[in-house]
């Protein structure tokens, strides 16, 4: 692109609105405007200059504020959809089939569609992360597109400006004064008292303060970028773990999300407030609810796989014994295991008798481990029971077959084949809690004898290496907010024109009222000419003071 040469002789990059040297308007738009656009000091931006190559088009796409707002809207809509139904983390399931069944059973067709579209794991989905990446890209490119030319323009701004630049400022005034040198010296002194950085050059004054406030929005953007980096890092293994784990008493399981570590549940303890304690603390609440939980605790042993052992092997070394209590997690290698929930009295085993119906005589008993049932139970003397079907959470008949809605033994049901010397071909029986079905009249029956229960601890495993990155992003963002909100970039130009007229102009990025108050204070102690704010209707009429019109 060819450069634009100003009348002052300075060569400006293509697309520059105001000359970097003297401030003359260069484009037709700037020449026709009564007030110049000072957002980027009239400097050229890459997105408005280069538009031919594919890189330029990508750059221009992401530098657009409209595109950025559109991406933000898409992220907000996706985030809102993710709150319609519970996310995957809060669903009591472990397989895809269980998740699908859960959403369809509770929310019908809408829940099924919600699952199939992947909304049930919204914030870990690849396309949501792509949206976050696009938003981060938009913020980075839009910031670079604006902050670089703004920085260059402010860094090399000149003290003396062309009169056309001064006259196109929102606050402008001109007039003749007596003893210009003395007035300028007094103005310089007063501006320094108001904490302005003052530069003088050949009968011109440039007073400036709080330039750093112009970088507030870009500090905000930097904070957001750091925050988004933290969010995206959560998708990389090892940076972020937030998993749920149910472990039964006596069970040993690999810790979800913590490879190489194994946890054994030694026992679960639930303590309720005694009547005396509850009456002191909760008063009448005890009468309404019957009992109030004081604490619940899981006693565990933590193991670690020895070096060189295969994943899932029993080659373990003990790390420590620990009692996990609410708000007192087990901590190891950056992980925290919290006590979050519990379930009482889950069925562990069920014991049955094989009896002859006519005599009620027992041929023996067998115990079914509901976590790992056997296929055959030998009772001796030629009697045995084969398990043909096991339905842990029986929920009726579907398509002519018994149906289990979950793998948890909440309502176990069985199909048994009873083999005896008298009936070597066997008899079949469907046995559920308080229910027995037979295809035909049997001579033998399975009768319930006893059950053993156990408690289950609900644990949450967390590890977050991105937390400090997120906190840093939030801190930087708030610094940018404070930086841009509580300070304003203000500039005042005062210079003597070629015809002896004194020109005064001022600009701020916000809070024009406060800037006008400073100008009024400056004029009280100097003989500078009156000014006019062209965009304040309240100041559209001059007040008479003697024979001179004064603009305040």
């Amino acid at each position: 692109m060819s450069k634009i040469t100003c009348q002052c002789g300075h060569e400006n990059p293509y697309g520059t609105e105001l000359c970097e040297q003297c401030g003359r308007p260069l484009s037709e738009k700037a020449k026709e405007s009564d007030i110049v656009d000072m957002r980027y000091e009239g400097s050229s931006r890459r997105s408005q200059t280069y538009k031919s190559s594919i890189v330029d088009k990508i750059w221009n796409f992401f530098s657009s504020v409209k595109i950025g707002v559109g991406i933000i809207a898409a992220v907000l809509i996706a985030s809102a959809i993710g709150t319609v139904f519970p996310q995957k983390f809060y669903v009591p399931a472990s397989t895809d089939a269980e998740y699908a069944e859960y959403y369809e059973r509770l929310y019908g067709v809408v829940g099924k569609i919600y699952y199939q579209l992947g909304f049930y794991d919204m914030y870990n989905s690849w396309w949501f992360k792509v949206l976050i990446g696009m938003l981060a890209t938009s913020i980075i490119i839009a910031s670079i597109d604006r902050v670089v030319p703004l920085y260059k323009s402010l860094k090399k701004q000149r003290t003396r400006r062309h009169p056309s630049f001064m006259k196109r400022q929102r606050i402008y005034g001109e007039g003749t004064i007596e003893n210009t040198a003395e007035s300028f010296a007094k103005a310089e002194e007063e501006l320094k008292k108001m904490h302005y950085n003052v530069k003088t050059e050949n009968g011109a004054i440039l007073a400036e303060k709080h330039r750093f406030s112009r970088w507030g929005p870009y500090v905000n953007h930097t904070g957001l970028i750091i925050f988004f980096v933290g969010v995206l890092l959560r998708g990389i293994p090892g940076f972020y773990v937030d998993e749920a784990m149910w472990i039964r008493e006596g069970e040993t399981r690999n810790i979800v999300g913590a490879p190489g570590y194994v946890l054994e549940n030694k026992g679960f303890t639930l303590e309720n407030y005694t009547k005396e304690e509850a009456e002191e603390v909760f008063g009448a609440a005890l009468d309404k609810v019957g009992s109030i939980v004081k604490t619940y605790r899981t006693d565990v042993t933590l193991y670690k796989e020895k070096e060189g052992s295969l994943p899932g092997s029993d080659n373990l070394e003990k790390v420590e014994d620990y009692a996990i209590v609410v708000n007192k997690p087990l901590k190891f290698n950056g992980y925290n295991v919290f006590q979050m929930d519990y379930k009482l009295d889950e069925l562990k085993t069920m014991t049955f008798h094989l009896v002859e119906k006519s005599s009620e005589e027992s041929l023996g008993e067998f115990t079914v481990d509901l976590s790992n049932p056997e296929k055959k139970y030998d009772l001796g003397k030629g009697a045995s029971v084969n398990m043909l079907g096991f339905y842990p959470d029986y929920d009726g008949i579907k398509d002519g077959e018994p149906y289990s809605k979950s793998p948890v033994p909440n309502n176990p049901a069985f199909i048994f084949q009873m083999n005896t010397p008298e009936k070597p071909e066997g008899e079949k029986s469907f046995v559920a809690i308080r229910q027995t079905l037979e295809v035909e009249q049997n001579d033998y029956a399975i009768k319930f004898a006893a059950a053993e229960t156990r408690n289950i601890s609900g644990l949450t495993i967390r590890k977050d290496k991105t937390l400090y990155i997120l906190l840093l992003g939030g801190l930087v963002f708030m610094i940018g907010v404070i930086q841009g909100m509580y300070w304003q970039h203000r500039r005042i130009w005062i210079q003597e024109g070629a015809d002896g007229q004194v020109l005064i102009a001022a600009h701020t990025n916000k809070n024009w009222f406060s800037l006008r108050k400073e100008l009024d204070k400056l004029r009280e102690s100097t003989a500078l000419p009156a000014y006019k704010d062209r965009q304040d209707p309240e100041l559209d009429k001059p007040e008479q003071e003697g024979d001179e019109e004064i603009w305040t």
Side-chain angles (χ1 to χ4, degrees):
M1 294 287 184
S2 60
K3 292 184 177 293
I4 303 175
T5 303
C6 180
Q7 295 179 28
C8 67
H10 180 72
E11 290 187 345
N12 298 274
Y14 180 83
T16 304
E17 299 278 336
L18 303 174
C19 177
E20 297 172 338
Q21 180 78 24
C22 65
R24 280 187 177 92
L26 300 178
S27 68
E28 292 299 323
K29 178 182 177 182
K31 291 177 181 179
E32 295 173 359
S33 176
D34 293 332
I35 301 176
V36 294
D37 185 355
M38 296 286 287
R39 284 182 299 171
Y40 311 110
E41 306 299 304
S43 56
S44 62
R45 287 158 46 200
R46 190 186 191 285
S47 61
Q48 297 176 331
T49 306
Y50 301 95
K51 301 181 179 181
S52 57
S53 70
I54 184 65
V55 175
D56 298 335
K57 292 178 181 179
I58 294 174
W59 182 277
N60 297 344
F61 176 83
F62 282 108
S63 68
S64 170
V65 173
K66 292 181 180 179
I67 297 298
V69 171
I71 296 174
I72 292 173
V75 171
L76 292 177
I77 292 171
S79 300
I81 292 174
T83 65
V84 174
F85 299 134
Q87 287 290 289
K88 176 181 178 180
F89 176 77
Y90 302 100
V91 174
S94 57
T95 65
D96 290 341
E98 291 173 7
Y99 285 117
E101 189 275 334
Y102 174 87
Y103 284 101
E104 185 176 5
R105 175 167 52 86
L106 292 184
Y107 308 111
V109 177
V110 177
K112 182 178 180 181
I113 296 173
Y114 192 83
Y115 168 79
Q116 291 175 340
L117 293 177
F119 294 156
Y120 77 108
D121 195 17
M122 173 74 75
Y123 309 112
N124 292 318
S125 63
W126 66 268
W127 59 270
F128 187 81
K129 292 178 180 178
V130 167
L131 277 178
I132 295 297
M134 289 179 65
L135 180 57
T137 302
S138 176
I139 291 174
I140 292 172
I141 292 180
S143 298
I144 295 175
D145 190 61
R146 290 160 174 79
V147 73
V148 171
L150 176 63
Y151 172 77
K152 290 180 178 179
S153 297
L154 292 176
K155 184 179 180 181
K156 57 186 178 184
Q157 60 180 326
R158 299 296 186 265
T159 303
R160 175 172 286 277
R161 293 300 186 104
H162 191 267
S164 61
F165 173 84
M166 303 279 283
K167 292 177 181 179
R168 285 180 169 83
Q169 294 299 317
R170 172 173 166 174
I171 290 181
Y172 173 72
E174 63 177 284
T176 56
I177 60 175
E178 297 181 1
N179 201 340
T180 303
E182 182 180 341
S183 296
F184 275 36
K186 183 64 174 175
E188 181 180 351
E189 180 182 345
E190 290 297 324
L191 287 167
K192 287 180 178 179
K193 289 180 181 179
M194 289 187 278
H195 308 291
Y196 278 88
N197 296 319
V198 182
K199 293 195 300 183
T200 59
E201 178 187 336
N202 298 329
I205 295 176
L206 168 60
E208 181 180 21
K209 68 177 179 180
H210 302 158
R211 183 193 294 183
F212 68 90
S213 69
R214 294 292 288 275
W215 317 127
Y218 307 105
V219 174
N220 290 348
H221 293 174
T222 302
L224 286 174
I225 294 304
I226 295 173
F227 187 87
F228 289 149
V229 168
V231 171
L232 294 175
L233 283 176
R234 289 188 166 201
I236 299 177
F239 277 89
Y240 179 74
V241 176
D242 191 355
E243 300 285 353
M245 174 179 170
W246 291 92
I247 183 168
R248 296 168 173 83
E249 288 179 318
E251 187 177 23
T252 300
R253 290 189 59 190
N254 292 322
I255 300 179
V256 181
Y261 288 93
V262 177
L263 199 66
E264 180 184 4
N265 185 346
K266 293 288 189 178
F268 175 81
T269 304
L270 176 68
E271 296 182 14
N272 293 324
Y273 281 100
T274 64
K275 186 175 181 180
E276 293 76 15
E277 291 174 327
E279 286 179 349
E280 290 179 6
V281 179
F282 300 105
L286 183 64
D287 297 328
K288 295 181 180 180
V289 298
S291 63
I292 299 175
V293 175
K294 183 178 182 181
T295 184
Y296 46 95
R297 181 184 74 248
T298 303
D299 296 309
V300 300
T301 299
L302 176 67
Y303 299 95
K304 183 180 180 181
E305 295 178 355
K306 293 182 179 179
E307 283 190 38
S309 60
L310 295 175
S313 69
D314 295 331
N315 191 14
L316 305 173
E317 59 180 348
K318 182 178 177 180
V319 178
E320 65 173 311
D321 294 318
Y322 192 80
I324 304 176
V325 185
V326 176
N327 296 328
K328 292 183 179 179
L330 167 64
K331 299 181 180 180
F332 63 94
N333 195 27
Y335 292 92
N336 292 279
V337 181
F338 292 89
Q339 178 74 60
M340 295 296 289
D341 203 351
Y342 62 89
K343 292 180 181 179
L344 299 178
D345 301 327
E346 180 193 73
L347 287 169
K348 178 182 180 183
T349 64
M350 295 181 73
T351 301
F352 300 93
H353 285 283
L354 175 61
V355 299
E356 184 180 7
K357 287 184 179 181
S358 59
S359 64
E360 294 291 329
E361 180 185 354
S362 174
L363 279 70
E365 69 175 27
F366 62 97
T367 300
V368 178
D369 184 347
L370 299 177
S371 297
N372 187 25
E374 298 178 15
K375 294 294 185 181
K376 183 177 181 179
Y377 299 89
D378 192 351
L379 306 182
K381 298 181 181 180
S384 65
V385 176
N386 295 338
M387 183 179 293
L388 303 181
F390 173 50
Y391 310 94
D393 197 2
Y394 174 65
D395 192 36
I397 304 296
K398 280 191 176 182
D399 299 326
E401 294 288 337
Y403 170 71
S404 177
K405 62 182 179 182
S406 77
V408 180
N410 295 323
N411 184 31
F414 314 87
I415 297 178
F416 291 123
Q417 178 176 300
M418 303 166 288
N419 304 308
T420 62
E422 290 75 16
K423 295 283 186 177
E425 71 281 1
E427 296 178 331
K428 294 181 182 178
S429 177
F430 175 82
V431 179
I433 296 177
R434 296 183 179 179
Q435 183 179 4
T436 300
L437 299 175
E438 298 175 349
V439 178
E440 57 185 28
Q441 188 67 29
N442 294 331
D443 294 333
Y444 295 88
I446 300 292
K447 288 195 174 182
F448 172 75
E452 182 183 356
T453 62
R454 59 184 171 183
N455 300 322
I456 312 174
S457 295
L459 307 177
T460 295
I461 299 91
R462 287 181 181 159
K463 180 180 182 180
D464 193 353
K465 288 186 176 181
T466 67
L467 181 60
Y468 292 106
I469 299 176
L470 299 176
L471 291 175
L472 176 62
L475 177 62
V476 172
F477 180 85
M478 290 307 301
I479 290 173
V481 170
I482 295 170
Q483 183 178 341
M485 181 177 292
Y486 294 102
W487 286 273
Q488 302 88 39
H489 181 212
R490 298 177 183 176
R491 282 172 291 176
I492 298 174
W493 295 274
I494 306 172
Q495 64 188 47
E496 186 177 7
D499 55 359
Q501 292 277 89
V502 174
L503 310 181
I504 180 171
H507 179 267
T508 181
N509 60 327
K510 57 183 175 180
N511 199 353
W512 292 85
F513 175 78
S514 181
L515 177 61
R516 292 198 304 264
K517 287 182 66 177
E518 289 186 338
L519 287 171
D520 292 339
K521 183 178 179 181
L522 179 64
R523 291 190 62 252
E524 288 175 1
S525 55
T526 62
L528 295 175
Y531 68 88
K532 178 179 180 181
D533 186 343
R534 304 180 186 184
Q535 291 188 354
D536 194 331
E538 296 297 325
L539 303 177
D540 200 31
K541 296 181 179 180
E543 296 179 0
Q544 297 292 330
E545 184 176 309
D547 296 328
E548 183 183 15
E549 290 185 343
I550 304 296
W551 294 90
T552 59

